[in-house]
Amino acid sequence: MKTNKIFLLLIVITSLFSACRKYDEGPAISVRSRKERIANNWKIDKAYSNGNDVTQYYTAYDLEFTKGGDAKLIANFNIGGTVFSFDSKGTWSFEDNDEKLRLDLENNLADKTYNILKLEEKELWLKTVGGEDELHLKPR
């Protein structure tokens, strides 16, 4: 009888933790707030478009987010031995009950809204809303 109670308790605890999961890829629970987890200098570790690996096209990009909502996109391209730098400042915000991330940058071509798939201290996975691009970011 005692084994049944322990088993039932484990089922209840497991279902509670899976109900707490905000994003498809986790985490189930975190002691750090979402703003604290997103505030970082991120580099693109993996990039996919329509399921195809396109990481090689994203290696020059960095994204910086502060807890206060400031954002900066930085890109450094080396073309024929000449380095070209690009940066655009702006803001980021959570939308749709913190399930989406909105970037509003000076360069409007870089403005995007992403579904947040994973938000951990050392991993951020984003997928463009209405698109097929998925970015997996890690701290720089």
Side-chain angles (χ1 to χ4, degrees):
M1 187 72 168
K2 189 173 185 173
T3 305
N4 288 341
K5 287 182 182 180
I6 291 172
F7 182 70
L8 182 61
L9 180 62
L10 286 174
I11 290 173
V12 169
I13 290 172
T14 303
S15 62
L16 284 174
F17 277 114
S18 41
C20 292
R21 183 175 294 224
K22 180 78 170 173
Y23 308 113
D24 291 342
E25 299 295 330
I29 193 164
S30 176
V31 294
R32 297 185 70 212
S33 74
R34 288 180 184 92
K35 283 186 176 185
E36 288 174 326
R37 284 181 275 155
I38 207 164
N40 212 330
N41 181 358
W42 299 98
K43 67 177 179 174
I44 297 173
D45 185 50
K46 295 282 183 190
Y48 303 94
S49 183
N50 294 314
N52 298 310
D53 188 338
V54 293
T55 305
Q56 74 236 19
Y57 302 114
Y58 288 88
T59 58
Y61 294 94
D62 284 336
L63 279 168
E64 293 179 11
F65 299 127
T66 68
K67 282 194 302 188
D70 293 326
K72 186 175 183 180
L73 172 65
I74 303 163
N76 295 302
F77 300 98
N78 187 335
I79 301 172
T82 303
V83 176
F84 297 93
S85 292
F86 163 86
D87 69 78
S88 185
K89 296 177 183 177
T91 59
W92 69 267
S93 60
F94 287 120
E95 291 185 348
D96 197 18
N97 198 27
D98 294 350
E99 292 182 13
K100 293 184 174 137
L101 173 71
R102 169 98 173 108
L103 289 180
D104 184 14
L105 300 168
E106 293 166 341
N107 180 337
N108 291 330
L109 295 174
D111 290 353
K112 294 240 187 296
T113 301
Y114 297 93
N115 288 310
I116 301 170
L117 303 176
K118 186 177 203 174
L119 176 55
E120 295 181 354
E121 183 177 353
K122 299 207 182 222
E123 279 189 286
L124 173 60
W125 292 8
L126 304 171
K127 185 170 186 174
T128 52
V129 171
E132 294 299 322
D133 295 335
E134 186 172 317
L135 305 174
H136 295 192
L137 298 101
K138 294 202 177 228
R140 173 128 330 260

